Amino acid sequence: MNTSRWRMTVLVAGHAVDDLYQGAVPAVVPFLVAERSYSYLAAAGITVAATLLSSVVQPLFGVLTDRRPLPWLVPAGMTVAGAGIGLCGLGDSYLLTWLAIALSGLGVAAYHPEAARLARRVARDGHVGMSWFAVGGNAGFALGPVLVTPVLALGGLGASPLLMIPALMGGVVTLVAMRGVRGADAVEARVGQDDWRQFGRLTVVVIARSMVTFGLSTFLALWVAQRAGGLIAGSVALVLLFGIGALGTLLGGVLAGRWGRIRVVRVSYALAVPSVAGIAIAPGPAVYLFVALAALTLYAPFSLHTTLGQDYLPNRLGTASGMTLGLAVSVGGLAAPVVGALASATTLQWALLSLLVLPVVAWVAARGLAEPARCAF
């Protein structure tokens, strides 16, 4: 295996480990609700903890990596993300739990901009290569509930330190693999005008998509547990959402090579509207079908957001990555308390139905997108 392929493999696997801890947050929520009797609003606050600090600092990490390559942030961010999740179950204090989850969000923020820059470089500007990198993150989301559910089901919240193990192992492997990376190897000179107008429109698309996916991931397990019976049924729905989402991300890269990125983005969000509606309306186990459809339609554009953002801002790859993978995504998590408050005031079903407006917003905003003037593909 040549050096580039080895590094890409490590980046894909590392992205899976890092985003495992993002996927762990919604999986931890039902156990916090069951063991500590948290309300819907308090549960949503846990999601805010994972996204608030990340949403503020991730673009700053992007700006930093535009000025100077910082490959050490990749293993360091991954390790901190795992440490935060590992500490979240210790003690009964809501504040300490919130701070531990926030620490995990900080680690995620440090990881993504530099990792996305390196992946774009190693993938040599290929749709499918970047899709694989994004698939790594989606797979990590899917593995979050797979890891969290048996550990906490058997050992309770006190067993949460065991969840640090993948981050510690992944951090060591990534550190070794990235040891030879220098500035010239990590940063490729780009030319062309930065199109901030198109990038701003893309940011609206990404935020709307993020809000609906965070809303679903935060409350899907609780909703399916009510509809299909039990915490295990809810965890299965999360695994399906993130697992099918990983396949959807790879499919999006393949389809973009045939149809173009913009068309894939527009069609995906149009089809997401009935898919999300079905989750809130479908009876019993039929909800799983709509979870799968929503996963395909909401995740197919995921890697395309990043490559479009990087092509709209060809001279600021770190900033573009920090925004599309960071700020815009994390800000979506801040909508979770609104959904939680609506669920407390009405029902969880009506709260999920309220999410329908978001793929509509994404579709409308995407209609104004155009392929970048300078496109690397």
Side-chain angles (χ1 to χ4, degrees):
M1 183 180 293
N2 61 41
T3 301
S4 293
R5 184 172 297 181
W6 162 242
R7 284 178 177 161
M8 192 62 184
T9 300
V10 171
L11 285 169
V12 171
H15 198 190
V17 172
D18 183 79
D19 282 14
L20 179 153
Y21 294 104
Q22 287 186 298
V25 175
V28 166
V29 166
F31 290 94
L32 291 171
V33 171
E35 201 165 312
R36 299 182 182 173
S37 301
Y38 286 171
S39 66
Y40 284 138
L41 189 57
I46 297 299
T47 298
V48 171
T51 58
L52 182 60
L53 188 59
S54 179
S55 68
V56 173
V57 302
Q58 193 152 175
L60 299 180
F61 281 115
V63 172
L64 275 176
T65 58
D66 278 334
R67 295 179 177 177
R68 180 182 180 183
L70 300 170
W72 61 269
L73 281 176
V74 178
M78 182 192 312
T79 303
V80 172
I85 294 297
L87 294 172
C88 75
L90 302 182
D92 295 326
S93 167
Y94 182 83
L95 176 60
L96 292 180
T97 300
W98 195 95
L99 290 174
I101 297 292
L103 179 66
S104 181
L106 178 62
V108 169
Y111 174 88
H112 277 113
E114 185 71 344
R117 175 204 289 282
L118 292 174
R120 180 71 181 257
R121 166 73 164 134
V122 174
R124 298 178 181 177
D125 288 341
H127 278 311
V128 176
M130 283 301 292
S131 291
W132 274 112
F133 176 70
V135 164
N138 295 153
F141 262 97
L143 290 172
V146 173
L147 175 67
V148 167
T149 300
V151 170
L152 299 190
L154 293 175
L157 292 173
S160 65
L162 295 175
L163 301 176
M164 298 185 196
I165 294 174
L168 297 176
M169 295 175 61
V172 170
V173 172
T174 302
L175 183 63
V176 172
M178 296 296 112
R179 183 176 294 172
V181 176
R182 295 284 190 267
D185 195 27
V187 180
E188 184 176 21
R190 310 285 291 187
V191 295
Q193 289 281 11
D194 292 332
D195 190 341
W196 287 99
R197 183 183 296 274
Q198 284 286 294
F199 186 77
R201 187 178 290 272
L202 175 66
T203 301
V204 172
V205 174
V206 177
I207 289 176
R209 182 257 179 199
S210 176
M211 290 171 71
V212 66
T213 53
F214 264 102
L216 283 177
S217 64
T218 300
F219 296 104
L220 182 64
L222 293 172
W223 173 244
V224 174
Q226 296 174 14
R227 303 283 277 188
L231 291 176
I232 299 300
S235 294
V236 169
L238 280 179
V239 171
L240 189 63
L241 177 69
F242 299 144
I244 298 295
L247 295 178
T249 300
L250 187 58
L251 179 63
V254 173
L255 292 178
R258 297 181 179 180
W259 296 349
R261 289 176 288 183
I262 302 301
R263 185 178 181 186
V264 172
V265 169
R266 291 172 181 166
V267 171
S268 296
Y269 289 122
L271 295 176
V273 177
S275 301
V276 173
I279 293 176
I281 297 172
V287 70
Y288 289 116
L289 171 62
F290 288 96
V291 170
L293 292 174
L296 283 174
T297 55
L298 290 172
Y299 281 86
F302 184 64
S303 68
L304 309 183
H305 293 158
T306 301
T307 59
L308 281 169
Q310 290 174 332
D311 284 339
Y312 288 140
L313 302 182
N315 301 299
R316 295 175 172 83
L317 297 186
T319 300
S321 301
M323 292 289 287
T324 55
L325 287 174
L327 177 63
V329 173
S330 299
V331 165
L334 301 182
V338 177
V339 180
L342 183 58
S344 297
T346 57
T347 65
L348 187 52
Q349 183 177 43
W350 277 109
L352 292 175
L353 283 171
S354 72
L355 296 174
L356 282 175
V357 69
L358 297 169
V360 174
V361 170
W363 175 76
V364 170
R367 286 178 61 83
L369 291 177
E371 284 290 348
R374 172 177 166 80
C375 180
F377 299 98

